[in-house]
Amino acid sequence: MNLSYWETKTWFSNIDFCIVGSGITGLNCALNLKTRFPKSNILVLERGMLPNGASTKNAGFACFGSISEILDDLNSHSEEEVLQLIQKRLKGLNLLRKNLGDKNIGYKEYGGYELFTKEDRPLFEECKAKLPELNKMLEPLFGEAVFSIQKDSFGFRNIEKKLIFNQFEGQLNTGEMMETLLYKVQKAGIKILNNVNVEEFTEAKNSVKIKTDKLEFLARKLLIATNGFSEKLGIAQVKPARAQVLITKPIKNLKIKGTFHLDKGYYYFRNIDDCILFGGGRNLDFKTEETTEMAQTKLIQQKLEELLKNTILPETSFEIEHRWSGIMGVGKQKKPIVKQISENVYCGVRLGGMGVAIGSLVGKELSELII
Ligand SMILES: Cc1cc2nc3c(=O)[nH]c(=O)nc-3n(C[C@H](O)[C@H](O)[C@H](O)COP(=O)(O)OP(=O)(O)OC[C@H]3O[C@@H](n4cnc5c(N)ncnc54)[C@H](O)[C@@H]3O)c2cc1C
């Protein structure tokens, strides 16, 4: 790229902090750095025309774990660890809502429901039996019982007639959330450059040399917030996990309202603008879905349509309006990786399926690695 004197001086000189990735983590990191170091020169680099990972692709569940998920976590983590995980999600959601405002992100607390298939009856029985114990465990965080049992009033088919309701689960408008966040970042005087792919970096004297597909330059500190794409920048503990989604055309008199989890959370759906947004099915083919390629597969899309027809909307005719996918970053552990990698390089990655909840907090924690 043949840059002018002006371009080099204005955009690529004296950069204090360069952040890779303009998802929820990278943008929150940038905002927090600007608050802590108001005079700093901050540059965010994003490979996509828009943020192009998970933050603008997700389902917009403001959740902290369904009952079966929490029970599953208790099999592999201590009670204290599970409480810490939930507390982090809660703290992250509160931070997101405080920073951006409920109205600006379309936040609605309609509650969340877990559905159980007939095959999952043993799991349903276990969840029912452990419900009082779990409510007691969560009481210090919520001050009230979180979970209760409710009759299915939505007319679902091929599932248990009773659902487990979580009164504190919410939903938001993902597009509005990211638009508000991007606006806030730009208003704070932080530069964002799109369509720039960071290819590699090397430590230089008191700085980092950053090589992109367009140019090379120096920054004092580099902060990586690339989540599912982090392997390409040498962070091997994060694997990509594609999540596929579809949305119906508007449905007249749609009765479904809230966020819904099915098959231990492998499927999720919600109402938005009189439509049903439905995603999941990664468990049908984990291997193929371990990819950073944004595409859909017949296997998963067909299964989503089949569940929509036979379980979620058995009495309602519907049409599919649109399909898409996004890339999450997962690993052996659920805890995000927020750490220093080398003298001037840091990362905040591996947010799993909970980045709406924890992204604001992970971004803040990443910025706090800079002292
Ligand atoms: C379909 C789907 C549904 C989901 N539903 C929910 C939900 O309902 N609730 C919830 O809490 N979470 C959900 N998640 C997870 C959540 O969206 C993510 O955890 C969160 O968005 C991660 O944010 P991030 O900023 O860390 O990563 P990302 O949003 O992926 O941001 C990383 C950014 O880095 C950019 N990038 C990557 N590599 C480079 C490079 N080399 N150079 C320049 N730029 C680069 C990418 O383009 C991307 O914009 C869902 C995810 C998906 C995919």
Side-chain angles (χ1 to χ4, degrees), residues 153-220:
S153 57
F154 303 102
F156 298 135
R157 205 174 275 166
N158 300 321
I159 56 145
E160 293 291 337
K161 290 283 159 239
K162 297 262 170 68
L163 316 174
I164 299 189
F165 180 60
N166 173 347
Q167 63 160 328
F168 293 109
E169 197 162 297
Q171 54 172 268
L172 50 80
N173 182 312
T174 296
E176 287 173 8
M177 171 189 77
M178 286 303 288
E179 189 187 28
T180 308
L181 186 54
L182 278 162
Y183 178 71
K184 209 172 164 186
V185 167
Q186 276 156 334
K187 211 169 138 209
I190 295 161
K191 297 184 186 87
I192 304 178
L193 292 180
N194 287 81
N195 291 319
V196 183
N197 191 27
V198 173
E199 290 173 345
E200 54 182 61
F201 58 86
T202 41
E203 287 278 356
K205 202 167 170 261
N206 295 326
S207 59
V208 188
K209 192 164 153 190
I210 299 161
K211 182 175 178 291
T212 77
D213 57 345
K214 306 271 184 327
L215 79 162
E216 278 185 28
F217 62 94
L218 291 173
R220 290 191 183 93

Side-chain angles (χ1 to χ4, degrees), residues 21 23-25 46-47 52-55 58-59 61 197-198 352-356:
I24 187 168
T25 305
E46 166 58 51
R47 70 185 188 118
N52 195 19
S55 296
N58 62 61
F61 282 38
N197 191 27
V198 173
M354 287 279 175
V356 172

Side-chain angles (χ1 to χ4, degrees), residues 61-76:
F61 282 38
C63 58
F64 48 86
S66 70
I67 189 160
S68 69
E69 194 179 352
I70 296 174
L71 280 179
D72 193 41
D73 286 346
L74 282 168
N75 289 329
S76 50

Side-chain angles (χ1 to χ4, degrees), residues 91-145:
K91 216 169 143 189
L93 280 171
N94 288 336
L95 193 62
L96 172 79
R97 293 173 61 193
K98 186 171 149 259
N99 282 347
L100 304 181
D102 282 354
K103 201 161 168 266
N104 295 326
I105 63 175
Y107 181 80
K108 306 262 165 37
E109 210 162 278
Y110 291 146
Y113 303 80
E114 181 154 8
L115 282 60
F116 297 85
T117 58
K118 301 269 188 241
E119 295 79 55
D120 273 340
R121 173 157 291 170
L123 179 67
F124 179 53
E125 294 300 335
E126 191 194 340
C127 289
K128 268 199 311 187
K130 298 244 170 92
L131 192 144
E133 204 181 306
L134 268 188
N135 275 341
K136 201 156 167 236
M137 182 183 121
L138 296 175
E139 208 183 295
L141 297 185
F142 294 88
E144 275 180 70

